């Protein structure tokens, strides 16, 4: 079920920067309204909202401040889409984090700089990278069914969903989980009548040149001489294809790096098979071992 985005409306979490910003930008350029759901807007996103105001005769952009770990705020972004545009046709739960210091396997709760509280019995990274896309997908499906119309739910996973990586085990786990989730929902595109078709698929980028990396020196320390950078614009183009291409059906995961290829569920060669592997600095594991030594020594 290919969907022409012109005249449609999208909700995108995390569109205040990075890949999701680029996806919002390309959708708006093609005549699709966008609800940008994020904690804040970077200057380029502020400029984008100003370029497509609610008074615009064409596509419009609306910013809704959203903490994706708060389900009531997720409800609100759908309410905003309904109030401004009569509902949504495309819902992208794209917000995510890359094992930040404040929610990190190597910094256990109560160990600075972790902000994860043992009293809450949860990791913020899991709430953002797994619970949020699952909940938004549930909400989007209910939204489409209640309006008796088809819809698209493109996700953002990663090459980390195929490969282990010692420094970021929880991030890797989150992307493996998201791959399985997306593939499990493939039948939604071929429902029994009279249910509407709903497409759930994903893009799996290699290392992306976004503020998620460039604004975090601790992450940049892991980058080797051949980091395998991919631009957010290139990823956004593939995300558009997830919506508009007839052949990129539900359950498919499209890897983006030096090449674009489908990631198969079984017998897949991995990122190296498409030339999309990423390089790391020779000492990229040092920080993890130092963290374990401090715990061992009671420091």
């Amino acid at each position: 079920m290919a969907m022409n985005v012109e005249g449609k409306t999208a909700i995108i979490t995390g569109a205040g920067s990075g890949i999701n910003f680029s996806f919002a930008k390309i959708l708006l350029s093609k005549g699709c309204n966008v609800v940008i759901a994020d904690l804040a807007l970077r200057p380029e996103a502020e400029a984008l909202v100003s370029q497509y105001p609610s008074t615009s005769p064409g596509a419009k952009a609306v910013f809704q401040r959203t903490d994706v770990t708060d389900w009531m705020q997720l409800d609100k972004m759908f309410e905003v889409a309904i109030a401004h545009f009569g509902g949504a046709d495309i819902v992208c739960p794209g917000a995510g984090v890359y094992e930040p210091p404040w929610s990190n396997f190597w910094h256990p709760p109560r160990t600075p700089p972790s902000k994860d509280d043992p009293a809450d019995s949860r990791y913020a990274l899991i709430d953002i990278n797994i619970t949020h896309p699952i909940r938004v997908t549930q909400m989007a499906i209910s939204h489409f069914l209640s309006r008796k119309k088809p819809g698209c739910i493109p996700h953002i996973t990663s090459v980390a969903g195929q490969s282990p990586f010692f420094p970021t085990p929880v991030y890797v786990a989150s992307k493996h989980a998201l791959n399985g989730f997306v593939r499990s929902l493939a039948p939604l595109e071929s429902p029994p009548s009279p249910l509407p078709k709903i497409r759930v698929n994903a893009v799996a980028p290699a290392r992306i040149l976004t503020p998620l990396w460039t604004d975090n020196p601790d992450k940049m320390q892991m980058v080797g001489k051949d980091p395998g950078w991919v631009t957010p614009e290139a990823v956004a183009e593939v995300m558009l294809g997830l919506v508009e291409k007839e052949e990129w059906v539900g359950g498919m995961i499209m890897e983006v790096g030096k090449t674009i290829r489908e990631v198969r569920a079984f017998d897949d060669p991995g990122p190296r098979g498409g030339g999309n592997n990423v390089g790391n600095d020779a000492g990229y594991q040092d920080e993890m071992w130092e963290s374990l030594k401090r715990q061992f020594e009671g420091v």
Side-chain angles (χ1 to χ4, degrees), residues 20 25 31 33 36 49 85 104 118 121 131 146 148 158 172 177 200 202 211 256 272 278-279 290 292 294:
N20 298 295
K25 185 176 180 180
N33 303 311
I36 296 175
V49 172
F85 309 115
N104 187 296
S121 301
T131 306
S146 68
K148 298 178 173 57
S158 167
V172 166
V200 183
V256 187
R272 288 185 183 277
V278 296
E290 287 302 318
L292 293 177
R294 287 193 295 271

Side-chain angles (χ1 to χ4, degrees), residues 129-202:
N129 284 18
I130 289 294
T131 306
H132 137 253
I134 290 174
R135 178 59 185 143
V136 170
T137 300
Q138 280 184 319
M139 298 168 78
I141 291 169
S142 296
H143 181 80
F144 299 144
L145 292 175
S146 68
R147 282 157 179 75
K148 298 178 173 57
K149 67 177 184 178
C152 293
I153 310 173
H155 286 262
I156 301 176
T157 177
S158 167
V159 293
Q162 305 169 60
S163 307
F165 190 53
F166 187 57
T168 60
V170 182
Y171 176 80
V172 166
S174 74
K175 296 306 181 181
H176 275 74
L178 193 55
N179 281 357
F181 178 70
V182 167
R183 288 195 172 105
S184 296
L185 298 180
L188 289 174
E189 190 161 346
S190 304
S193 179
L195 296 177
K197 294 182 178 182
I198 298 173
R199 172 180 284 188
V200 183
N201 50 16

Side-chain angles (χ1 to χ4, degrees), residues 102-116:
W102 42 266
S103 186
N104 187 296
F105 183 79
W106 305 109
H107 303 302
R110 290 203 185 101
T111 304
S114 175
K115 294 183 180 179
D116 290 328

Side-chain angles (χ1 to χ4, degrees), residues 1-275:
M1 55 158 280
M3 178 182 288
N4 186 336
V5 301
E6 184 177 3
K8 302 297 193 300
T9 295
I11 298 172
I12 309 175
T13 66
S17 65
I19 297 170
N20 298 295
F21 162 75
S22 295
F23 187 40
K25 185 176 180 180
I26 197 171
L27 287 177
L28 286 161
S29 73
K30 291 184 173 294
C32 180
N33 303 311
V34 177
V35 175
I36 296 175
D38 208 335
L39 287 171
L41 299 176
R42 288 177 65 89
E44 59 269 26
E46 290 181 348
L48 187 68
V49 172
S50 297
Q51 184 181 347
Y52 295 94
S54 57
T55 55
S56 169
K60 303 171 179 61
V62 175
F63 171 58
Q64 175 60 33
R65 189 183 185 282
T66 306
D67 177 349
V68 298
T69 67
D70 184 332
W71 289 12
M72 296 303 292
Q73 293 189 38
L74 296 179
D75 270 325
K76 183 64 178 179
M77 69 186 188
F78 280 90
E79 293 173 6
V80 169
I82 292 168
H84 283 268
F85 309 115
D89 307 279
I90 303 159
V91 179
C92 174
V97 292
Y98 186 75
E99 204 108 0
W102 42 266
S103 186
N104 187 296
F105 183 79
W106 305 109
H107 303 302
R110 290 203 185 101
T111 304
S114 175
K115 294 183 180 179
D116 290 328
D117 188 342
D120 294 335
S121 301
R122 62 202 308 161
Y123 295 102
L125 188 154
I126 294 296
D127 284 346
I128 296 167
N129 284 18
I130 289 294
T131 306
H132 137 253
I134 290 174
R135 178 59 185 143
V136 170
T137 300
Q138 280 184 319
M139 298 168 78
I141 291 169
S142 296
H143 181 80
F144 299 144
L145 292 175
S146 68
R147 282 157 179 75
K148 298 178 173 57
K149 67 177 184 178
C152 293
I153 310 173
H155 286 262
I156 301 176
T157 177
S158 167
V159 293
Q162 305 169 60
S163 307
F165 190 53
F166 187 57
T168 60
V170 182
Y171 176 80
V172 166
S174 74
K175 296 306 181 181
H176 275 74
L178 193 55
N179 281 357
F181 178 70
V182 167
R183 288 195 172 105
S184 296
L185 298 180
L188 289 174
E189 190 161 346
S190 304
S193 179
L195 296 177
K197 294 182 178 182
I198 298 173
R199 172 180 284 188
V200 183
N201 50 16
V203 64
R207 191 171 280 153
I208 309 300
L209 190 60
T210 70
L212 191 71
W213 281 91
T214 56
D215 287 0
N216 291 281
D218 59 314
K219 298 294 182 291
M220 292 301 292
Q221 289 177 4
M222 302 179 191
V223 176
K225 294 181 179 179
D226 182 22
W229 292 123
V230 181
T231 67
E233 292 80 10
V235 180
E237 287 283 353
V238 174
M239 293 175 72
L240 179 65
L242 293 177
V243 177
E244 291 197 324
K245 286 182 178 289
E246 191 69 50
E247 64 272 24
W248 288 1
V249 297
M252 287 186 68
I253 298 171
M254 301 303 299
E255 183 180 284
V256 187
K258 294 177 181 177
T259 62
I260 299 170
R261 70 178 191 97
E262 178 186 359
V263 181
R264 300 194 299 269
F266 302 103
D267 301 319
D268 189 88
R272 288 185 183 277

